[in-house]
Amino acid sequence: MFSKATEYALRATIYIARRSDEKNKPGLAEIAKVIDSPRSFTAKILQQLTKNNKIVSSVRGPNGGFFLTDKAKKLPVYSILKAMAEDEVLTKCVLGLKQCSETKPCPMHAQYKPLKQQLIKLFETKTIQDLASEITNGDSVIGNGK
Amino acid sequence: MFSKATEYALRATIYIARRSDEKNKPGLAEIAKVIDSPRSFTAKILQQLTKNNKIVSSVRGPNGGFFLTDKAKKLPVYSILKAMAEDEVLTKCVLGLKQCSETKPCPMHAQYKPLKQQLIKLFETKTIQDLASEITNGDSVIGNGK
DNA sequence: TTAATTAAGGATATTTTTGTCCTCTTTTTT
DNA sequence: AAAAAAGAGGACAAAAATATCCTTAATTAA
Ligand code: FES
Ligand code: FES
């Protein structure tokens, strides 16, 4: 469904949200290990999320690492998709028509549309914090332990 | 959601289903034009659908082209996804965990699962013929006219 | 102030996806 | 039989996605 880059972005952000506060900032090595992603590639993705979109924050130097502000934690998961420029995975025509519209719908449209809307709603409604809590509560996992 | 190749495969197959019978077999040029896809790349995809998976049939020579048998028309759309080796787009974990399971679910799983199941059901239930009929009835389009 | 630690950023490499082109084979028409 | 019209298939090309490495900058601790 999503690219590897976006999958890593989602997993990394959720993990950081769960692990970070004023005192505790997971570093790249820890993050990549836990979410099981290639380290340097993950670094690039975190740069993307840090730079333009202000979803993830970072500090350099000893005891540095990545963290999410309380404000960032309240962002919808959808904002990660937008930061990765993959939000149109959810919005575009499932058969690849240039426009997904009511006036010239593809033959899947009528039945696909309600599912699509539920999907979008799910990503718009769930916050990063919501997903992080799921893990803290032990209801779900994001990778290999922790 | 799906790769370009799979989008072309879906559109091409639906178009062929709609246009073809014993006497009438659309050719590559016509198909690519109507569904708005790169001609030679579409040829490769149709080869894939013809060769291994027997979804599309073809005949060479003058008045040759592509067609679907009545049997093929009754196949679920899902079979096109399988032929293109992209069925796991619908089945895998939305966050990219190696397993989508109940025992170690990702934090999206609980809410994503029902949508995923509806998506799979949609692709498993709808036949190629169903979608072709939608176009014949004028209820939807697959590309630029015809 | 020096050394150590950690993210940022640039350059490069690899792999996959997407796409083109040319020749070969099959089939029909003349 | 020859010519023409298609798809089949292989080789190649271009672009995008994925991934690695190395140097630089910032920050902290000794
Ligand atoms: S037009 Fe294809 S999904 Fe809306
Ligand atoms: S475990 Fe992630 S969707 Fe099922």
Side-chain angles (χ1 to χ4, degrees):
Chain A
M1 173 142 223
F2 300 118
S3 66
K4 295 273 184 196
T6 294
E7 289 177 356
Y8 301 152
L10 290 163
R11 300 216 297 276
T13 305
I14 293 164
Y15 178 72
I16 296 166
R18 197 215 144 191
R19 286 258 109 197
S20 67
D21 51 41
E22 298 305 305
K23 288 284 156 199
N24 229 316
K25 291 179 274 293
L28 176 63
E30 175 185 338
I31 295 164
K33 189 177 182 190
V34 173
I35 71 167
D36 191 28
S37 65
R39 189 181 158 137
S40 296
F41 190 40
T42 306
K44 289 282 181 260
I45 292 159
L46 288 173
Q47 273 174 48
Q48 240 185 289
L49 295 174
T50 305
K51 200 178 182 187
N52 310 308
N53 308 92
K54 306 281 190 185
I55 293 175
V56 176
S57 308
S58 68
V59 290
R60 293 200 253 202
N63 298 311
F66 298 90
F67 68 100
L68 264 71
T69 62
D70 286 344
K71 196 177 167 188
K73 286 179 186 173
K74 288 173 190 147
L75 289 172
V77 188
Y78 200 80
S79 62
I80 300 173
L81 301 184
K82 276 190 288 191
M84 299 301 293
E86 285 208 22
D87 49 316
E88 56 165 41
V89 169
L90 298 180
T91 60
K92 72 178 193 179
C93 169
V94 71
L95 297 191
L97 295 189
K98 278 170 191 164
Q99 299 283 332
C100 173
S101 68
E102 300 302 322
T103 52
K104 286 192 164 192
C106 76
M108 288 291 286
H109 182 89
Q111 299 215 229
Y112 179 68
K113 187 185 172 188
L115 292 179
K116 170 194 217 164
Q117 286 178 329
Q118 287 178 70
L119 266 179
I120 293 171
K121 188 178 176 186
L122 176 56
F123 281 87
E124 277 177 343
T125 306
K126 282 274 170 185
T127 66
I128 295 167
Q129 178 66 76
D130 288 339
L131 301 186
S133 303
E134 278 255 344
I135 301 168
T136 305
N137 297 343
D139 296 329
S140 55
V141 301
I142 200 65
N144 309 307
K146 291 219 179 177
Chain B
M1 174 144 223
F2 300 117
S3 66
K4 294 277 183 194
T6 294
E7 289 177 355
Y8 301 152
L10 290 164
R11 299 215 298 276
T13 306
I14 294 165
Y15 178 72
I16 296 166
R18 195 215 145 194
R19 285 259 108 195
S20 66
D21 50 41
E22 297 306 302
K23 287 285 155 196
N24 229 316
K25 293 179 271 294
L28 175 62
E30 175 185 337
I31 295 165
K33 189 176 182 191
V34 172
I35 71 168
D36 190 27
S37 66
R39 188 179 158 140
S40 296
F41 190 39
T42 305
K44 289 281 180 262
I45 292 159
L46 289 174
Q47 272 175 49
Q48 240 185 291
L49 295 174
T50 304
K51 200 177 182 186
N52 308 311
N53 310 91
K54 304 282 189 185
I55 293 174
V56 175
S57 308
S58 67
V59 291
R60 294 200 253 202
N63 298 310
F66 298 90
F67 67 100
L68 263 72
T69 63
D70 286 345
K71 195 176 169 188
K73 286 180 185 173
K74 288 173 189 145
L75 290 172
V77 187
Y78 199 81
S79 62
I80 301 173
L81 301 183
K82 274 190 288 191
M84 300 300 296
E86 285 208 23
D87 49 317
E88 56 164 42
V89 168
L90 297 179
T91 58
K92 71 179 195 181
C93 169
V94 71
L95 298 190
L97 296 189
K98 277 169 194 165
Q99 299 284 331
C100 172
S101 68
E102 300 300 323
T103 51
K104 286 192 165 192
C106 76
M108 287 291 286
H109 182 90
Q111 299 216 228
Y112 179 69
K113 186 185 173 191
L115 291 180
K116 171 194 216 164
Q117 286 178 328
Q118 287 178 68
L119 266 179
I120 293 171
K121 188 178 176 187
L122 176 56
F123 281 88
E124 277 177 342
T125 306
K126 282 272 171 185
T127 66
I128 295 167
Q129 177 68 74
D130 289 339
L131 300 186
S133 303
E134 278 253 345
I135 301 169
T136 305
N137 297 342
D139 295 331
S140 56
V141 301
I142 200 67
N144 308 306
K146 289 219 179 176

